[in-house]
Amino acid sequence: MLRFAFLFLLFASCLGAEAVTIPTMNFALSSPDTPQQLVSSLNVLVVLTLLFLAPSMVLVMTTFTRFVIVFGFLRQALGTQQVPPTQLLVMLAMILTFFVMEPVGTKAYEAGIKPYIAEEIGYEEAFEKTVLPFKNFMIRNTREKDLALFFRIRKMQNPQTVAEVPLSIIIPAFVISELKTAFEIGFLLFLPFLVIDMVVASILMSMGMMMLPPVMISLPFKILIFVLIDGWNLIIGNLIASIK
């Protein structure tokens, strides 16, 4: 967790600018005497704002999107309404995200943050080395079609190396790739439960029980089948296996 906190701080200070110096913070309430003091105060405001936004930016650079959407589809397919609760699904998605991204975060910390703290490399070099493992991860899980889309929109030439791909392009390409993958997995999750609903509805219609909602009858069977096949184990195992 401490390593991710360092990553948040580095991303917050670097997003939106190529070279930003982290200013010292003075919380004294006084009017600025010089333009330099005003600029320093504004820099503090910008850094604090980015610190709040950085965790959200890092979440879209990880597998959190895929996990939370698939879990939402699963709950809808089961028809259990608010069980498990949304807070629990989000926390489970975050825990699995930290589990999957730990090797990437550790590599980024060892390559960029740690030598920067030891004053072995400069600020810009630390940022590049810290971001590179995340870039490699995102590109492995991003479709070429989605990546080419944003390069075409920006009218930029195709990059030769991963380091040449800017974050402003790879992040949205990675997000829409994760959305497509999550929806594909969600569709596959819906199919077996949809079959159960259709079978139960057909049986009820053949028995003349048209006024009885099929969901009331199919819900216990769906939960029973999901428990018998150890659904959570299968879904989480295959979700993690689908990440490159």
Side-chain angles (χ1 to χ4, degrees), residues 76-156:
Q76 291 294 325
L78 284 171
T80 53
Q81 302 300 324
Q82 296 300 318
V83 180
T86 302
Q87 295 86 346
L88 180 59
L89 292 181
V90 172
M91 287 303 301
L92 178 59
M94 292 187 67
I95 291 172
L96 293 175
T97 299
F98 278 111
F99 173 79
V100 172
M101 298 301 298
E102 183 181 6
V104 180
T106 301
K107 188 182 297 183
Y109 177 82
E110 295 291 337
I113 301 295
K114 190 174 181 179
Y116 176 71
I117 294 175
E119 299 182 354
E120 297 175 359
I121 59 176
Y123 186 78
E124 295 182 6
E125 184 180 357
F127 176 70
E128 293 297 330
K129 289 185 176 181
T130 303
V131 169
L132 188 58
F134 284 90
K135 282 186 176 181
N136 290 327
F137 172 81
M138 287 189 288
I139 286 180
R140 288 198 307 269
N141 293 275
T142 302
R143 298 182 302 164
E144 293 184 5
K145 181 179 179 181
D146 295 329
L147 199 60
L149 170 66
F150 291 95
F151 272 101
R152 187 168 63 251
I153 293 174
R154 283 281 185 89
K155 298 180 180 179
M156 297 174 60

Side-chain angles (χ1 to χ4, degrees), residues 3-205:
R3 292 175 180 176
F4 279 99
F6 278 118
L7 292 178
F8 292 158
L9 178 61
L10 191 64
F11 280 124
S13 59
C14 293
L15 285 174
E18 295 182 355
V20 181
T21 302
I22 299 179
T24 57
M25 296 186 182
N26 182 8
F27 294 98
L29 298 177
S30 60
S31 59
D33 298 325
T34 62
Q36 288 76 13
Q37 291 183 358
L38 178 60
V39 172
S40 298
S41 301
L42 293 177
N43 284 340
V44 171
L45 179 62
V46 171
V47 169
L48 290 176
T49 302
L50 291 176
L51 279 173
F52 285 106
L53 297 178
S56 300
M57 292 298 297
V58 174
L59 285 179
V60 298
M61 297 167 61
T62 63
T63 57
F64 177 79
T65 302
R66 182 183 307 192
F67 288 140
V68 75
I69 291 177
V70 169
F71 292 154
F73 272 118
L74 175 62
R75 187 172 64 181
Q76 291 294 325
L78 284 171
T80 53
Q81 302 300 324
Q82 296 300 318
V83 180
T86 302
Q87 295 86 346
L88 180 59
L89 292 181
V90 172
M91 287 303 301
L92 178 59
M94 292 187 67
I95 291 172
L96 293 175
T97 299
F98 278 111
F99 173 79
V100 172
M101 298 301 298
E102 183 181 6
V104 180
T106 301
K107 188 182 297 183
Y109 177 82
E110 295 291 337
I113 301 295
K114 190 174 181 179
Y116 176 71
I117 294 175
E119 299 182 354
E120 297 175 359
I121 59 176
Y123 186 78
E124 295 182 6
E125 184 180 357
F127 176 70
E128 293 297 330
K129 289 185 176 181
T130 303
V131 169
L132 188 58
F134 284 90
K135 282 186 176 181
N136 290 327
F137 172 81
M138 287 189 288
I139 286 180
R140 288 198 307 269
N141 293 275
T142 302
R143 298 182 302 164
E144 293 184 5
K145 181 179 179 181
D146 295 329
L147 199 60
L149 170 66
F150 291 95
F151 272 101
R152 187 168 63 251
I153 293 174
R154 283 281 185 89
K155 298 180 180 179
M156 297 174 60
Q157 295 182 350
N158 294 332
Q160 301 299 321
T161 62
V162 176
E164 295 179 5
V165 183
L167 284 175
S168 59
I169 287 181
I170 191 173
I171 290 178
F174 173 74
V175 170
I176 62 175
S177 291
E178 287 292 286
L179 287 173
K180 183 178 186 298
T181 303
F183 272 72
E184 289 175 346
I185 298 173
F187 172 75
L188 295 177
L189 283 176
F190 254 101
L191 287 180
F193 297 111
L194 180 62
V195 171
I196 295 175
D197 287 333
M198 293 177 63
V199 170
V200 171
S202 299
I203 294 174
L204 291 177
M205 289 184 64

